[in-house]
Amino acid sequence: MLNPQQRTAIEYCDGPLLVLAGAGSGKTRVITEKIAHLVKRKHLSASKIAAITFTNKAAREMRERVGKLLKGADAEGLTVCTFHALGLRFLQTEHTHAGLRRGFSVLDADDSQGLIKDLAPKGIKNDALWALQNLISRAKNDGLTPEQAAERSQGAREAEAAEIYADYQKRLAAFNAVDFDDLIRLPLQLLETNEQLRAVWQERIRYLLLDEYQDTNTAQYRLVRALAGERGMFTAVGDDDQSIYAWRGANPENLAELSRDYPKLKVVKLEQNYRCGRRILRVANTLIANNSHLFEKKLWSESSEGPPIRILECRDDEHESERIAAEILHLAEKHKARWHDFAILYRGNHQSRPLEKALRIARVPYHLTGGTAFLERAEVKDLLAYLRLINNPDDDAAFLRIVNVPRREIGATSLEKLGQSAGARHQSMLRAAQHDTVLASLSARPASALAGFVQLIGELGQHAQRLPAAELVDTLITRIGYADHIAAQVSEAGARARRMENLKELADWFRAMQKEGAAGDLAAQLALLAHNDRDDPGNAVRLMTLHSAKGLEFRFVFIIGVEEGTFPHEASIEEGRLDEERRLMYVGITRAKEQLALSYARRKRRFGEIIANDPSRFLAELPEADLHWSGRDVEQDEAQRKEVASSSLAKLAALFEE
């Protein structure tokens, strides 16, 4: 059943609408029900509606929910996707306007960094390279062309970045490629400068629904404005209290921009929380009240009060981890809870190490979110790029990734010339490299290397016609000498072995798909692999950063490392970014449905030294009456200690009986 505010947000379709949706207030339901309302009550074709969110997972969930509300033809043509997916769809339709050929490539962050490294000063350090890539990305996220970035540059570093940005774009054009940021910047540039094209797309998308609006960057907001036009037929759903991505370009000021650009903007507040106990909400409201707000709101709940928020003082981070492992054992037994009901949240990934050790010793299954996903490992991406190119010789992104893996001394200048020749011939780079006239335009060494690479891919393509994918992987590793390539890159024997083991696992995945009766051809198996969700945590305690926890909820939540310098982070204190750190704490607190504990260590080892810690200033901002500090109520603490200890002892006894 909808509450009055949700119903208002769903039924208001007469102009621009901002829905301030607090944590756990049912925002996804509002968006999906509004889509159904637009189709069923307002008789707007689903093909004229676009719902935009920030992750593929959120888009998939939204699409599934809408599918249950709209049946068959009613949902036909509906767009539910991320900003970048919308941008890709735009460029695939309007590629000629963007100066791209059909079948252009989209480079990932690694491929992009490789191109920038070629253009950067020789011998550039990784930190400086990352900073350079970040400056270029920031310029694109602000919707700036290379020329505009140069005009607005402040200081030598930004001027250098703008210069490399210009060369980088020339190289992307030669390769018929775009990067991830271009998926927003190029559509924006076309819509803002081409009135006819803008009118076409405003007619194509008659109503926009925007999820997580507070996370939009400058270019994304300008894209929304270009698509919505003056009529402003959109619903933006967001929460300024959950804006935690400024470090990657998100601009919570876009909430204020919305008010200025659309004076008739209607604002609806969703303040009823369906997730948390009343005490947890009271603590969250008190904390976030220390931030300034454009729109005031206060969450409330009809749930039970819930137990006090526990503050756990620990000797050091090892003691902190051991204590939390014991607490989880106790709570799981006491409440008959499953492991996936628990989450341990922290400010940085490095804080997971002692937790993993303690949970392994306690035999508590856990899932670590935020490590490098298997399919994102460099060696796995290299082999998959080979398979993609073998399967599709027109895949320029795959070509660019592995044309020099292992190293073949085909330089950036030669690749740029090859890209220009491919563009002139309206062919992919691999197909262009098959022409003697193209190779003749290059220096002898890269021309010879390219000819050898073309021959290699042709031979592997013949193998692919008769070998299952798993055997093709084995053949590929041997044929290109990938083990020697890894040995040349990685000096440590254990790391080399792990990388080769990852490739063995890749082959095993293909074998498993064969056994499961998956389609036998390489293209089908690659597609299945790409869509395979191998990060399913199952029934395990979730370990993750506070940033990763956004959008999730758990019965029991532990937030660790709540110390000055850790949370809030030292850099945020120095740079005056406490508001965002406080919002991050607010997000963490509101992940808890039933019980919440915050812990800190009195001392920690840093750079070989033992240093003393002070509790986080955020703890002092919480309402004292809703907290229970360990160590301050000796009698209650002792009773709790015995209860937890008995659970732990029972668990240990069970282990010895196995």
Side-chain angles (χ1 to χ4, degrees):
M1 183 166 174
L2 297 167
N3 66 41
Q5 290 73 30
Q6 289 173 328
R7 189 168 297 283
T8 299
I10 289 165
E11 294 179 354
Y12 182 78
C13 303
D14 298 328
L17 173 66
L18 172 62
V19 180
L20 289 171
S25 62
K27 69 180 178 65
T28 304
R29 184 180 183 191
V30 165
I31 293 172
T32 54
E33 292 275 3
K34 184 149 195 173
I35 292 170
H37 178 79
L38 286 165
V39 174
K40 292 179 176 179
R41 299 282 183 268
K42 296 296 181 179
H43 307 294
L44 182 63
S45 169
S47 63
K48 300 286 188 182
I49 301 170
I52 314 299
T53 187
F54 273 83
T55 67
N56 289 317
K57 181 182 176 184
R60 189 164 57 246
E61 179 188 345
M62 202 176 287
R63 205 176 295 115
E64 288 169 358
R65 289 206 197 182
V66 173
K68 293 174 182 176
L69 297 171
L70 295 176
K71 302 298 181 185
D74 282 349
E76 195 171 324
L78 175 68
T79 297
V80 183
C81 63
T82 64
F83 267 104
H84 291 91
L86 180 67
L88 176 60
R89 189 175 304 177
F90 180 98
L91 290 177
Q92 286 170 333
T93 305
E94 311 294 352
H95 57 90
T96 52
H97 286 98
L100 296 165
R101 301 189 304 280
R102 191 180 298 279
F104 60 87
S105 298
V106 182
L107 303 190
D108 66 14
D110 286 346
D111 298 332
S112 172
Q113 188 178 80
L115 287 185
I116 293 171
K117 187 174 184 178
D118 281 337
L119 297 167
K122 297 302 177 189
I124 188 171
K125 302 292 186 186
N126 284 339
D127 285 352
L129 178 62
W130 181 87
L132 183 59
Q133 186 178 14
N134 191 49
L135 283 171
I136 293 172
S137 179
R138 190 186 305 170
K140 290 189 173 192
N141 286 333
D142 286 339
L144 303 179
T145 63
E147 296 74 23
Q148 290 168 330
E151 288 171 8
R152 300 188 191 187
S153 62
Q154 297 179 349
R157 285 182 64 216
E158 289 189 10
E160 179 190 38
E163 188 176 330
I164 292 173
Y165 176 15
D167 292 338
Y168 171 64
Q169 288 307 117
K170 289 175 187 173
R171 191 153 289 175
L172 285 178
F175 294 163
N176 190 36
V178 297
D179 66 15
F180 206 57
D181 295 324
D182 283 331
L183 296 178
I184 305 298
R185 185 185 68 86
L186 289 174
L188 170 63
Q189 184 179 312
L190 288 169
L191 287 169
E192 287 188 338
T193 58
N194 187 324
E195 187 176 345
Q196 185 177 1
L197 198 60
R198 187 166 65 247
V200 167
W201 278 84
Q202 286 179 356
E203 175 57 33
R204 186 169 291 171
I205 300 176
R206 298 291 297 168
Y207 202 95
L208 268 171
L209 298 107
L210 310 159
D211 190 19
E212 304 287 7
Y213 176 75
Q214 77 282 349
D215 292 337
T216 53
N217 60 35
T218 301
Q220 286 163 342
Y221 174 58
R222 283 168 57 189
L223 182 64
V224 168
R225 201 170 56 198
L227 288 170
E230 292 182 8
R231 57 193 172 87
M233 299 304 288
F234 64 79
T235 294
V237 181
D239 180 8
D240 53 342
D241 289 334
Q242 296 188 75
S243 181
I244 57 173
Y245 295 115
W247 52 276
R248 70 181 189 196
N251 184 8
E253 286 301 309
N254 285 345
L255 286 163
E257 286 290 320
L258 204 60
S259 301
R260 285 191 286 269
D261 290 338
Y262 294 95
K264 294 182 179 179
L265 180 73
K266 182 178 177 66
V267 178
V268 174
K269 299 178 186 180
L270 303 185
E271 297 173 295
Q272 183 174 0
N273 175 285
Y274 294 93
R275 175 191 300 153
C276 309
R278 289 205 299 270
R279 194 189 301 271
I280 290 170
L281 280 187
R282 191 159 56 241
V283 166
N285 284 334
T286 303
L287 174 78
I288 205 65
N290 289 282
N291 278 6
S292 57
H293 291 81
L294 181 65
F295 301 100
E296 294 293 338
K297 69 178 186 311
K298 192 170 184 179
L299 297 185
W300 60 277
S301 172
E302 293 180 343
S303 300
S304 60
E305 183 75 355
I309 311 305
R310 298 182 63 215
I311 313 295
L312 309 178
E313 181 185 80
C314 307
R315 292 189 302 275
D316 51 35
D317 51 5
E318 283 196 11
H319 177 228
E320 182 178 41
S321 298
E322 291 163 0
R323 185 168 183 179
I324 286 171
E327 291 277 350
I328 288 173
L329 285 171
H330 163 62
L331 289 170
E333 183 179 317
K334 180 178 179 179
H335 296 278
K336 307 302 178 195
R338 303 194 69 193
W339 299 122
H340 65 226
D341 291 328
F342 296 87
I344 307 173
L345 312 180
Y346 36 78
R347 182 62 179 81
N349 277 311
H350 66 280
Q351 293 172 267
S352 70
R353 291 167 197 150
L355 285 168
E356 291 187 77
K357 178 182 174 184
L359 291 170
R360 279 198 300 268
I361 290 172
R363 297 285 185 93
V364 173
Y366 67 87
H367 175 83
L368 182 66
T369 299
T372 304
F374 182 78
L375 292 178
E376 292 301 311
R377 296 185 187 279
E379 61 274 14
V380 174
K381 289 177 76 170
D382 286 345
L383 267 291
L384 287 176
Y386 266 102
L387 295 176
R388 283 166 45 203
L389 190 61
I390 291 165
N391 174 66
N392 175 17
D394 294 327
D395 190 335
D396 279 348
F399 175 93
L400 288 168
R401 181 174 183 91
I402 44 87
V403 69
N404 264 319
V405 177
R407 188 153 187 82
R408 298 183 176 89
E409 298 188 22
I410 304 170
T413 302
S414 296
L415 287 174
E416 189 167 353
K417 284 183 180 178
L418 176 63
Q420 289 166 347
S421 297
R425 290 171 173 270
H426 303 289
Q427 289 183 316
S428 68
M429 296 176 78
L430 181 66
R431 294 191 192 279
Q434 295 169 4
H435 295 279
D436 291 339
T437 53
V438 172
L439 294 178
S441 69
L442 307 177
S443 301
R445 183 177 290 180
S448 174
L450 267 173
F453 180 71
V454 168
Q455 183 178 349
L456 168 69
I457 297 301
E459 291 172 2
L460 290 169
Q462 292 175 358
H463 285 305
Q465 292 175 15
R466 58 182 180 79
L467 291 178
E471 290 181 39
L472 182 60
V473 170
D474 295 335
T475 301
L476 176 57
I477 291 169
T478 303
R479 181 71 177 77
I480 66 176
Y482 200 82
D484 293 336
H485 169 69
I486 288 178
Q489 285 192 317
V490 183
S491 57
E492 203 266 306
R496 289 200 302 270
R498 284 192 295 275
R499 289 195 174 192
M500 292 306 295
E501 186 63 30
N502 286 336
L503 298 183
K504 179 180 178 297
E505 186 177 342
L506 178 66
D508 289 343
W509 282 10
F510 281 116
R511 286 190 186 92
M513 282 189 285
Q514 262 181 289
K515 288 178 183 176
E516 291 164 7
D521 65 284
L522 181 58
Q525 293 203 9
L526 283 170
L528 283 172
L529 191 65
H531 288 91
N532 206 326
D533 181 12
R534 297 190 176 266
D535 197 36
D536 180 11
N539 184 28
V541 174
R542 300 289 295 274
L543 274 60
M544 66 182 75
T545 64
L546 287 137
H547 285 98
S548 299
K550 189 163 177 286
L552 303 177
E553 58 183 44
F554 305 91
R555 288 181 65 189
F556 308 97
V557 169
F558 295 85
I559 303 177
I560 70 165
V562 189
E563 309 128 7
E564 282 295 290
T566 303
F567 193 25
H569 194 273
E570 191 171 18
S572 298
I573 297 171
E574 291 171 358
E575 296 167 14
R577 293 187 283 108
L578 278 172
D579 276 12
E580 178 150 344
E581 291 289 292
R582 191 175 284 111
R583 291 195 292 267
L584 196 54
M585 173 64 97
Y586 174 85
V587 166
I589 290 172
T590 54
R591 297 314 92 194
K593 296 163 70 175
E594 296 178 22
Q595 292 193 35
L596 172 69
L598 312 174
S599 65
Y600 68 93
R602 292 197 300 270
R603 59 181 183 270
K604 277 190 178 175
R605 184 180 295 276
R606 183 180 291 182
F607 307 120
E609 289 184 47
I610 302 295
I611 60 169
N613 287 324
D614 291 324
S616 169
R617 68 189 69 193
F618 294 151
L619 295 178
E621 294 178 359
L622 306 181
E624 191 64 37
D626 290 310
L627 309 181
H628 171 74
W629 291 74
S630 66
R632 296 189 182 179
D633 185 335
V634 178
E635 189 175 324
Q636 185 174 340
D637 283 344
E638 182 61 20
Q640 176 76 10
R641 188 192 66 77
K642 288 180 178 177
E643 196 175 341
V644 171
S646 66
S647 295
S648 302
L649 287 170
K651 180 77 172 181
L652 286 170
L655 292 178
F656 285 116
E657 290 169 4
E658 289 179 357

